[in-house]
Amino acid sequence: MSGQSLLVPGEITPVRSVPGNIRRPEYVGKPAPTPYTGPEVQDSDTVERMRIAGRIAAQAMEEAAKHIAPGVTTDELDQVAHDFMVDHGAYPSTLGYRGFPKSLCTSLNEVICHGIPDSTVLRDGDIVNLDVTAYINGVHGDNNATYLCGDVDEESRLLVERTRESLNRAIKAVRPGRQINVIGRVIESYAKRFGYGVVRDFTGHGINSSFHSGLIIPHYDSPHATTVMQPGMTFTIEPMLTLGTHEYDLWEDGWTVVTKDRKRTAQFEHTLVVTETGAEILTLP
């Protein structure tokens, strides 16, 4: 594995502005969102609006990823994604969610998830996860992917490639009538082939007009995930695989989650709707 030094918190720039004509999620300016009490199965109008939100989120992530290179700061990546979403009439869902100060999450190397963009400079050999969610027309679209920065060691490259494949396999396992736990079963069984850890305490989630509806999508074979998938259900799958333990520490910022052994970790995510025969990915560019 790369012998690079471990990450430390950088300086966070002021909160970026969003034009007043762009609709905000209800949680902006509040300590927490109002609990969601609606259905997990969405009507066709909601799904169509989620396609739009998902497409903008996917395009914003792609645009930010074009700027990944040694010497670029994670704050600069945040600026790119923020500007793209705002220019397309969307609100960056993470901005102001439970006080999160930025418009996407940037999770490098040993950071499992929820890294805050700041003055941290990307280095040759880093792996960089971008997690982008867009809110438009009253709904969210959420996706993430892990990218290579410069010349990345083989162990890390394989981790990234196999984490992407674990998401692809999980999506193929989605079928109406199956329990949610089939998703985690597929991911965990694939990850075990390579001795990877599967993060348990951070999961996929229901998503619609709510950023996190309360529906939980574990990435391991949980006996409690017995909810049966139905056509029209919308949720994310976002496996986080590690080169070592699945256990974690939390930085003092209250957001940045790092592997307890500080070994590297990768993640990929799509927002999906369950169809009559499988799943449709809503976060396609």
Side-chain angles (χ1 to χ4, degrees):
M1 192 184 77
S2 170
Q4 287 176 317
S5 59
L6 298 177
L7 294 164
V8 295
E11 295 296 320
I12 299 175
T13 59
V15 173
R16 306 192 196 284
S17 63
V18 177
N21 64 313
I22 293 179
R23 179 178 172 184
R24 272 80 167 147
E26 60 82 24
Y27 52 75
V28 174
K30 296 165 54 178
T34 302
Y36 179 72
T37 57
E40 299 296 346
V41 172
Q42 306 304 312
D43 60 28
S44 58
D45 172 69
T46 302
V47 172
E48 178 55 36
R49 286 184 283 127
M50 289 181 68
R51 286 191 188 97
I52 295 168
R55 183 166 62 246
I56 292 172
Q59 291 172 339
M61 185 174 72
E62 278 197 341
E63 195 61 35
K66 291 176 185 176
H67 294 77
I68 291 174
V72 174
T73 68
T74 56
D75 187 69
E76 290 175 272
L77 302 179
D78 181 79
Q79 181 78 69
V80 173
H82 176 94
D83 290 348
F84 186 95
M85 285 185 274
V86 167
D87 288 348
H88 288 77
Y91 186 90
S93 300
T94 60
L95 186 62
Y97 178 78
R98 297 183 181 271
F100 192 84
K102 290 295 173 181
S103 298
L104 81 165
C105 300
T106 50
S107 301
L108 279 58
N109 301 339
E110 70 268 22
V111 179
I112 294 172
C113 57
H114 303 160
I116 300 174
D118 59 18
S119 60
T120 297
V121 176
L122 301 184
R123 302 164 297 181
D124 186 62
D126 283 343
I127 59 173
V128 184
N129 181 271
L130 304 180
D131 193 338
V132 181
T133 309
Y135 177 80
I136 190 169
N137 299 324
V139 296
H140 301 267
D142 184 4
N143 68 165
N144 77 56
T146 303
Y147 300 89
L148 309 180
C149 181
D151 184 17
V152 175
D153 68 274
E154 184 68 7
E155 185 178 37
S156 298
R157 290 171 63 90
L158 285 172
L159 173 68
V160 170
E161 177 184 311
R162 290 163 176 167
T163 305
R164 181 191 292 110
E165 176 62 15
S166 76
L167 173 60
N168 293 339
R169 290 176 180 234
I171 292 170
K172 290 176 183 176
V174 172
R175 289 283 188 285
R178 290 181 174 176
Q179 293 183 344
I180 290 289
N181 58 17
V182 71
I183 295 169
R185 189 175 309 136
V186 166
I187 293 167
E188 187 173 40
S189 63
Y190 179 71
K192 278 184 174 179
R193 292 191 200 177
F194 312 105
Y196 295 153
V198 180
V199 173
R200 301 168 75 89
D201 291 345
F202 300 91
T203 68
H205 52 88
I207 183 170
N208 37 66
S209 60
S210 172
F211 194 173
H212 299 87
S213 72
L215 177 66
I216 301 299
I217 312 296
H219 302 121
Y220 63 98
D221 187 4
S222 169
H224 306 294
T226 56
T227 299
V228 175
M229 292 182 267
Q230 304 174 55
M233 286 180 72
T234 49
F235 52 81
T236 72
I237 304 176
E238 45 189 298
M240 292 152 264
L241 305 186
T242 71
L243 289 175
T245 182
H246 67 269
E247 296 180 344
Y248 66 92
D249 292 322
L250 184 66
W251 279 7
E252 288 184 6
D253 62 23
W255 284 104
T256 306
V257 180
V258 295
T259 54
K260 187 170 281 292
D261 56 13
R262 303 303 190 264
K263 290 186 177 180
R264 287 188 167 188
T265 175
Q267 181 183 17
F268 284 83
E269 173 186 22
H270 276 305
T271 295
L272 313 168
V273 60
V274 180
T275 68
E276 296 292 341
T277 57
E280 176 192 347
I281 299 172
L282 299 179
T283 38
L284 292 175

